[in-house]
């Protein structure tokens, strides 16, 4: 059985000729530049080959991960250059960018968006080839990011316009605006390389900060078509890139004390280590999206078909590689058999294949280390009494891993507590509602939870303790980040700070104000500054 399933998976990998014209990348991209101090600086040092999650069959041989390009592997000297360029461009808040009017910064960003949209086709294809995300989801990621950028601009106009006035209190006249924090080190994750990176990078820039940007380990080349757009749209040194192993350059940059904001979507372990490197930790603001192990709680009166549909989506969209994915399903014992039967039936209908195939759900993972980790997690559960309850579950060929439903998963098994970040669905039964509640309370994670049920009294009684454990309780639907106007936050090891279209603007800025006693002299002084446009901060302009 397993052998047959393996062969079936192997057959899903294409030979070069099977790849549709539109989905091909063309010639490999060998990036030999980085953007530093307003110029594309060439690199002739060591480079890293980028292997796609997609394996290609060569003749009758085994499928192999295909090389789609390469990028520089830099070191501390280059990260110092990138950081110093950002520090110079900020110039203690006196640089061109931090002192520009908000309207001027928005104009630069709009110029960048125009240039970015022109690169859509290539960027979408690169997302697909670099991380194995389906074409439909790669397009969605690009489009959602552009909408996010436009919405952020609209939110900034709104924010700035509402601050374009004076406030008078207790004999003091004040004007309060949001101002930048300094130099931001921005690092995104591989699963949403464009969207989650830009969810911090764009608001950081718009608020007047300067940036050092390190792309994720998988999902680097997709930024290559944007380097010239960054160079052309923003003043020199406002955005600088570094391509280097994080462990080599990131602690080094933080230890310099020159980073004011750490924007990282990654693991809590790495975040903890990095924060400690800053010589004055109180000076470092951290905006972090970290680990999560969101649970679904399926109550005895749940609409089982709805719960199955949402849990399947929640657990397996992009192969379960979402921070918001449902990573533990807790199902009431009275319905668990029916739930598992319908869940595995629905799973069997999901299409497994290559990212460009229409309707595909399960696609290759970023490397063989992932299939090895997932296999180990399943073996651990099996050794401790659980079973894989769906046909072919856990079978893999190279980077393609068939989702495994593992039951019953209990405390003591890796899958019970650890974030699997892949296509394994652990299910556990419960008798008493105290059990899933206790699970969430004792978890190291605190991002979201989903409740499936219909009884208002029971759901109401669950909501109240759960909202103090996580930051979003989803009713009869999967966990997710969007809509992007909603606050995206987490407790415990899951996050620091809140992101959303409006919250991110706050996260990357601080209020600063000009205040004067309410005297005739002050009135005359402020009036002259405003009327003669003597300050960019003190003004009553309105951005339309
Ligand atoms: O990986 C975490 C993402 O922010 C999840 O976003 O819920 O929209 O898929 P999503």
């Amino acid at each position: 059985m397993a052998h047959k399933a393996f062969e079936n998976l192997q057959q899903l990998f294409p030979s070069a000729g099977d790849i549709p014209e539109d989905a091909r990348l063309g010639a490999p991209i060998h990036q030999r530049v980085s953007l530093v101090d307003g110029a594309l600086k060439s690199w002739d040092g060591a480079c890293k080959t980028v292997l796609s999650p997609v394996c290609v069959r060569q003749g009758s041989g085994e499928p192999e991960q295909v090389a789609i390009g390469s990028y520089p592997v830099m070191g501390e000297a280059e990260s110092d250059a990138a950081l110093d360029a950002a520090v110079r461009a900020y110039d203690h808040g006196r640089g061109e960018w931090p002192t520009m009017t908000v309207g001027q910064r928005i104009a630069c960003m709009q110029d960048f968006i125009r240039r970015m949209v022109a690169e859509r086709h290539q960027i979408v294809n690169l997302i697909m080839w670099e991380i194995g995300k389906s074409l439909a989801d790669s397009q969605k990621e690009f489009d959602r990011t552009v909408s996010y950028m436009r919405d952020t601009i609209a939110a900034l106009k709104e924010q700035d316009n509402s601050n374009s006035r004076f406030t008078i209190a207790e004999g003091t006249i004040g004007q309060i605006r949001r101002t930048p924090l300094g130099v931001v080190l921005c690092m995104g994750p591989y699963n949403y390389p464009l969207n989650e990176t830009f969810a911090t990078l764009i608001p950081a820039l718009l608020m007047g900060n300067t940036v050092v940007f390190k792309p994720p380990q998988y999902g680097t080349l997709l930024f290559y078509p944007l380097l010239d757009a960054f160079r052309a749209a923003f003043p020199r040194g406002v955005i600088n890139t570094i391509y280097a192993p994080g462990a080599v350059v990131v602690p080094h940059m933080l230890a310099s004390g020159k980073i004011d904001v750490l924007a990282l979507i990654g693991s809590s372990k790495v975040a903890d280590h990095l924060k400690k490197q800053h010589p004055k930790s109180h000076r470092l603001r951290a905006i972090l999206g970290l680990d999560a192990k969101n649970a679904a709680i399926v109550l005895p009166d749940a609409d089982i078909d709805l719960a199955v549909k949402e849990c399947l989506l929640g657990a397996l969209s992009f192969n379960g590689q979402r921070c918001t994915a449902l990573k533990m399903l807790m199902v009431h014992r009275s319905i668990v058999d029916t739930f598992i039967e319908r869940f595995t039936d629905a799973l069997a209908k999901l299409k497994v294949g290559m990212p460009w195939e229409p309707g595909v759900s399960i696609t290759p993972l970023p490397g063989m280390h992932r299939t090895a980790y997932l296999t180990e997690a399943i073996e651990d559960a099996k050794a401790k009494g659980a079973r894989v309850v769906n046909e072919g579950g856990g079978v893999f060929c190279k980077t393609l891993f068939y989702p495994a439903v593992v039951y019953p998963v209990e405390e003591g098994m890796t899958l019970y507590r650890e974030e699997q970040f892949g296509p394994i669905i652990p299910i556990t039964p419960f008798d008493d509602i105290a059990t899933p509640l206790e699970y969430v309370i004792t978890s190291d994670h605190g991002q979201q939870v989903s409740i499936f049920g219909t009884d208002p009294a029971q759901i109401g009684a669950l909501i109240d303790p759960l909202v103090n454990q996580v930051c979003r309780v989803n009713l009869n639907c999967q966990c997710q980040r969007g809509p992007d106007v909603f606050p995206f936050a987490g407790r415990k090891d899951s996050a620091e700070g809140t992101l959303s279209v409006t919250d991110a603007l706050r996260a990357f800025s601080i209020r600063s104000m000009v205040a004067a006693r309410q005297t005739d002299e002050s009135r005359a002084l402020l009036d002259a500054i405003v009327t003669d446009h003597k300050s960019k901060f003190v003004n009553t302009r309105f951005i339309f």
Side-chain angles (χ1 to χ4, degrees):
M1 166 61 233
H3 184 63
K4 178 106 191 62
F6 172 85
E7 277 181 358
N8 289 346
L9 287 182
Q10 179 156 3
Q11 291 311 313
L12 295 174
F13 288 117
S15 60
D18 300 333
I19 303 166
E21 194 73 42
D22 228 30
R24 291 184 192 172
L25 260 188
I29 296 173
H30 294 295
Q31 178 181 333
R32 293 292 178 271
V33 290
S34 66
L35 174 61
V36 184
D37 207 14
L40 295 177
K41 205 163 174 276
S42 58
W43 171 254
D44 57 9
C47 288
K48 184 178 158 79
T49 299
V50 178
L51 292 180
S52 172
V54 173
C55 299
V56 172
R57 281 186 280 127
Q58 311 285 351
S60 57
E62 287 208 346
E64 296 295 347
Q65 286 184 257
V66 63
I68 56 170
S70 57
Y71 59 80
V73 181
M74 300 175 159
E76 288 182 357
E78 292 74 27
S79 74
D80 284 347
L83 182 53
D84 288 345
V87 169
R88 271 197 306 279
Y90 192 68
D91 191 18
H92 305 280
R94 296 171 304 182
E96 179 186 359
W97 185 247
T99 55
M100 256 187 197
T101 65
V102 170
Q104 286 167 325
R105 285 206 291 263
I106 287 175
C108 293
M109 190 58 79
Q110 281 165 334
D111 180 27
F112 175 73
I113 295 175
R114 272 190 297 276
R115 293 167 189 272
M116 174 175 167
V117 167
E119 302 293 336
R120 180 179 186 273
H121 180 74
Q122 201 189 0
I123 294 171
V124 164
N125 258 1
L126 278 165
I127 297 177
M128 184 171 80
W129 278 96
E130 266 192 290
I131 61 162
K133 186 172 277 193
S134 73
L135 176 60
D137 283 349
S138 301
Q139 289 167 334
K140 217 189 284 171
E141 175 162 352
F142 185 94
D143 297 339
R144 175 183 178 179
T145 306
V146 171
S147 305
Y148 181 89
M149 294 164 82
R150 294 193 170 125
D151 292 348
T152 303
I153 288 175
L156 177 58
K157 281 185 190 171
E158 174 79 25
Q159 181 207 84
D160 200 64
N161 286 339
S162 68
N163 292 335
S164 267
R165 55 191 288 276
F166 290 95
T167 304
I168 300 175
E170 297 173 31
T172 303
I173 309 171
Q175 185 167 34
I176 308 161
R177 286 188 185 281
R178 298 205 75 94
T179 57
L181 295 163
V183 174
V184 178
L185 172 60
C186 187
M187 292 181 288
Y190 84 80
N191 61 334
Y192 280 84
L194 183 71
N195 183 263
E196 292 223 64
T197 303
F198 276 24
T200 57
L201 184 102
I202 299 305
L205 287 174
L206 276 170
M207 292 315 294
N209 303 283
T210 60
V211 171
V212 175
F213 162 46
K214 192 187 103 51
Q217 192 189 355
Y218 309 105
T220 296
L221 288 178
L222 66 97
F223 292 100
Y224 180 50
L226 291 177
L227 291 188
D228 199 52
F230 277 131
R231 186 200 57 77
F234 298 104
R236 173 179 178 175
V238 167
I239 171 151
N240 307 277
T241 57
I242 176 74
Y243 304 89
V248 174
V249 298
V250 179
H252 174 74
M253 283 193 277
L254 281 154
S256 73
K258 296 176 188 172
I259 304 274
D260 301 296
V261 186
L262 171 64
L264 165 75
I265 315 293
S267 81
S268 61
K269 217 170 120 208
V270 168
D272 282 347
H273 173 67
L274 293 181
K275 283 176 74 170
K276 288 185 198 125
Q277 307 307 310
H278 198 289
K280 291 194 175 183
S281 51
H282 62 272
R283 286 199 187 180
L284 181 71
R285 182 177 291 192
I287 294 142
L288 310 171
L290 306 171
D291 331 328
K293 178 89 173 169
N294 294 341
I297 303 171
V298 188
L299 299 168
D301 62 349
D303 173 339
I304 299 187
D305 289 331
L306 174 69
V308 163
K309 182 173 149 267
E310 289 289 327
C311 288
L312 198 64
L313 255 183
L316 287 178
S317 301
F318 190 34
N319 312 309
Q321 301 172 109
R322 292 159 61 223
C323 61
T324 47
L326 287 173
K327 296 180 181 121
M328 167 58 76
L329 308 186
M330 312 192 86
V331 185
H332 193 266
R333 197 180 299 277
S334 63
I335 54 163
V336 73
D337 291 339
T338 316
F339 180 90
I340 290 177
E341 195 186 317
R342 294 192 200 172
F343 189 89
T344 50
D345 281 354
L347 194 163
K349 294 193 183 96
L350 293 184
K351 182 167 170 179
V352 184
M354 294 303 110
W356 52 82
E357 293 176 30
V360 73
S361 290
I362 304 300
T363 55
L365 303 176
M368 257 99 83
H369 61 293
R370 292 300 302 153
T371 52
Y373 167 81
L374 296 169
T375 305
E376 213 175 286
I378 293 175
E379 289 310 318
D380 168 81
K382 286 201 319 209
K384 293 169 183 160
R387 289 177 304 120
V388 172
V389 294
N390 63 316
E391 206 176 304
V395 171
F396 67 93
C397 173
K398 300 284 172 165
T399 51
L400 206 46
F401 186 97
Y402 193 75
V405 181
V406 185
Y407 178 82
V409 170
E410 286 159 8
E411 187 80 87
M413 299 177 184
T414 305
L415 284 172
Y416 195 72
R417 293 289 184 185
E418 211 166 276
E419 177 179 24
Q420 66 271 33
F421 214 75
I424 298 182
I425 306 98
I427 302 183
T428 194
F430 68 88
D431 298 296
D432 186 338
I433 192 57
T435 308
L437 194 52
E438 193 59 21
Y439 177 78
V440 178
I441 289 170
T442 52
S443 171
D444 277 338
H445 309 97
Q447 191 195 65
Q448 300 189 16
V449 72
S450 288
I451 307 175
F452 294 90
T454 49
D455 175 14
Q458 189 163 34
I459 292 180
L462 267 176
I463 288 174
D464 293 352
L466 284 174
V467 288
N468 292 346
Q469 284 298 323
V470 297
C471 285
R472 176 161 163 168
V473 175
N474 301 278
L475 301 183
N476 293 310
C477 61
Q478 63 150 324
C479 298
Q480 62 179 41
R481 194 179 83 198
D484 288 327
V485 291
F486 284 167
F488 183 49
R491 300 171 188 268
K492 300 192 254 186
D493 293 355
S494 287
E496 185 170 339
T498 301
L499 290 174
S500 78
V501 165
T502 46
D503 285 288
L505 292 172
R506 287 189 209 122
F508 289 99
S509 61
I510 187 164
R511 283 180 301 173
S512 192
M513 65 179 291
V514 170
R517 289 201 199 291
Q518 193 184 5
T519 60
D520 288 345
E521 291 76 9
S522 298
R523 282 196 201 98
L525 179 63
L526 288 169
D527 193 44
I529 293 173
V530 168
T531 312
D532 302 333
H533 304 294
K534 294 294 183 199
S535 163
K536 288 175 187 156
F537 185 97
V538 178
N539 77 72
T540 53
R541 266 190 305 265
F542 200 90
I543 312 169
F544 293 100

